[in-house]
Amino acid sequence: RYVWVSLLLLAAACGGPSTPEELLSAAKTAMAAGQARTAEIHLKNLLQQQPSNVEARVLLAQASAGSGDLAGAEQSYRSALELGAAADSVQLPLLRALIGQGKFREVLDQIQAGPALSGRDRVELLVLKGEASVALGAADQGEASFKAALEIDPASKEARTQLAAVLAQTGHADEAQRLVSAVLSDDAAFVPALIMRGSLDFAAARYDAAHTSFAEALKQEEAAGHKRTQRYALALSQLVQTEIAQRQFDEAGKNADALLALDSKSPVARSLKANIEMENGDLDGAERRLESVVADFPKYWPAHRLLGNINIQQNQLGQAVMYLRNVVTNSPNDDGARLTLAQLYVRQGSVEDAKKLLEGTSNSAFGNDLFF
């Protein structure tokens, strides 16, 4: 009986695509049907036979990107370039793969080394360049790139939305709001602008409006079948933060679990879950979760900040000072952590240390609650 089963399986395998031409055709069919992993299998089998097949390398990169393997996509695009693929056709998808991995320095290096591109491709290249520049802390260079993109295409939704993000970051929230509103007037379903509008409303403590924007962004992503994208995870994480701010902890907990289901290792998802545990009184559980985040991602400063707040509630002030110092040193624009640390110094009788900590910072940003 088992011999017959084996023979049938062997026959089925032999009946599948086997020549390079058949494998390439099967891969294209799978990709057209949205079956990225099936396409990857066919293409890898093809490349075992023809390792120098440029078209297969490019298609494998596209399939890897479609299945979420951005590192694999980058590797295949670079291999395709080495094999002679047209640089202008590979440049943008390679840049997207680098952006998706957070390789922002490599993005700028690749733009410098690669073709300049033109037309709409040039617009996207400038947007990606601006995004990488902002991520590396060069907001002025990012702003210049977005404005250069808008000189080519003033209607670019991507460039306008990214420019709005820079404006918000540099203290021009009203201008950013007008820009995002204009984008959504042109396309009410444009998800990046919905997320940006929600972020602006959240920063202004307009939590109901922020909730509406993030929920709409998630709805649009789900309708498009994009439930495992970085953008979906971003909108969901922002929604959880909004629900925490609204003290809707039951809903926040459910959505935090959904975020963890997307990526159980995500420091953002784990920290949000810990925040909810803290708000629900489970300080020990929140502390354990955050300590594991810090162990895995020692430079994820929001986890340090939250641990500091938990330690304050546990009256472990020395630990709290340590974590909050980490935040203030490495994320100097975090005024909330700076204020909390200053309050701790006052509480410990170190008023001069508190004053030094707040030097050069607008006291109006803190209101009148420094001393308690």
Side-chain angles (χ1 to χ4, degrees):
R1 174 183 176 184
Y2 295 110
V3 172
W4 280 109
V5 171
S6 298
L7 289 173
L8 287 170
L9 290 172
L10 179 61
C14 292
S18 57
T19 68
E21 294 77 13
E22 290 172 342
L23 288 164
L24 186 62
S25 177
K28 289 179 178 178
T29 299
M31 289 185 69
Q35 300 170 348
R37 294 197 182 279
T38 300
E40 283 184 273
I41 293 170
H42 292 316
L43 291 164
K44 287 177 179 178
N45 288 335
L46 188 164
L47 288 166
Q48 285 183 346
Q49 300 179 46
Q50 294 183 342
S52 298
N53 189 313
V54 176
E55 183 180 11
R57 288 285 176 191
V58 172
L59 286 173
L60 178 58
Q62 294 172 354
S64 297
S67 65
D69 179 11
L70 297 180
E74 177 195 350
Q75 181 180 2
S76 292
Y77 281 129
R78 293 197 186 280
S79 295
L81 285 171
E82 291 173 2
L83 292 169
D88 57 353
S89 67
V90 172
Q91 178 78 327
L92 287 178
L94 174 55
L95 292 175
R96 292 187 208 110
L98 292 170
I99 283 280
Q101 296 176 82
K103 294 184 174 181
F104 303 116
R105 177 58 59 189
E106 287 90 335
V107 169
L108 299 182
D109 292 342
Q110 180 62 34
I111 290 173
Q112 182 69 25
L117 304 182
S118 60
R120 294 188 63 82
D121 287 347
R122 177 70 179 168
V123 171
E124 183 175 354
L125 182 143
L126 286 167
V127 170
L128 292 171
K129 179 181 179 181
E131 188 176 345
S133 297
V134 171
L136 291 169
D140 54 342
Q141 294 177 26
E143 182 176 351
S145 291
F146 300 138
K147 287 181 176 178
L150 289 170
E151 288 179 4
I152 301 171
D153 180 11
S156 170
K157 294 179 290 188
E158 293 80 5
R160 285 188 288 166
T161 302
Q162 292 282 5
L163 178 57
V166 174
L167 291 171
Q169 179 181 325
T170 54
H172 300 88
D174 290 342
E175 191 176 348
Q177 188 80 52
R178 286 193 294 272
L179 203 54
V180 169
S181 296
V183 173
L184 290 171
S185 178
D186 293 340
D187 183 357
F190 187 57
V191 172
L194 286 168
I195 295 174
M196 188 66 236
R197 184 178 68 185
S199 298
L200 289 166
D201 284 329
F202 183 90
R206 297 188 292 265
Y207 299 130
D208 289 344
H211 192 283
T212 298
S213 291
F214 295 137
E216 180 62 23
L218 290 169
K219 177 183 174 182
Q220 294 297 333
E221 287 291 275
E222 289 167 0
H226 296 161
K227 287 194 67 173
R228 300 199 67 83
T229 63
Q230 288 182 324
R231 197 158 62 188
Y232 183 88
L234 173 60
L236 186 55
S237 68
Q238 299 270 44
L239 181 68
V240 174
Q241 290 183 60
T242 304
E243 289 168 340
I244 291 172
Q246 294 173 303
R247 306 196 66 78
Q248 297 175 356
F249 299 126
D250 288 344
E251 287 303 310
K254 293 174 185 176
N255 285 319
D257 288 339
L259 195 61
L260 283 166
L262 293 176
D263 182 1
S264 62
K265 298 295 184 182
S266 165
V268 176
R270 292 155 70 186
S271 295
L272 286 171
K273 184 67 175 179
N275 196 338
I276 295 163
E277 290 170 335
M278 180 188 75
E279 294 288 356
N280 285 329
D282 184 8
L283 298 182
D284 291 342
E287 183 180 30
R288 286 192 298 270
R289 190 183 296 274
L290 288 166
E291 286 173 344
S292 72
V293 173
V294 170
D296 294 339
F297 302 92
K299 295 184 179 181
Y300 185 66
W301 308 119
H304 290 252
R305 177 183 179 180
L306 195 54
L307 268 169
N309 288 328
I310 288 171
N311 289 153
I312 290 171
Q313 293 186 54
Q314 296 170 323
N315 204 33
Q316 298 174 0
L317 302 188
Q319 282 285 103
V321 167
M322 179 192 73
Y323 282 119
L324 291 168
R325 275 179 180 164
N326 288 341
V327 180
V328 171
T329 301
N330 295 282
S331 186
N333 293 326
D334 191 331
D335 286 340
R338 187 177 295 274
L339 171 61
T340 304
L341 181 56
Q343 290 172 327
L344 271 179
Y345 283 152
V346 172
R347 188 169 171 177
Q348 293 177 322
S350 304
V351 176
E352 288 303 314
D353 287 337
K355 289 180 178 179
K356 290 178 182 178
L357 186 65
L358 297 179
E359 282 179 1
T361 305
S362 171
N363 288 333
S364 63
F366 303 122
N368 297 314
D369 58 350
L370 173 58
F371 302 98
F372 64 95

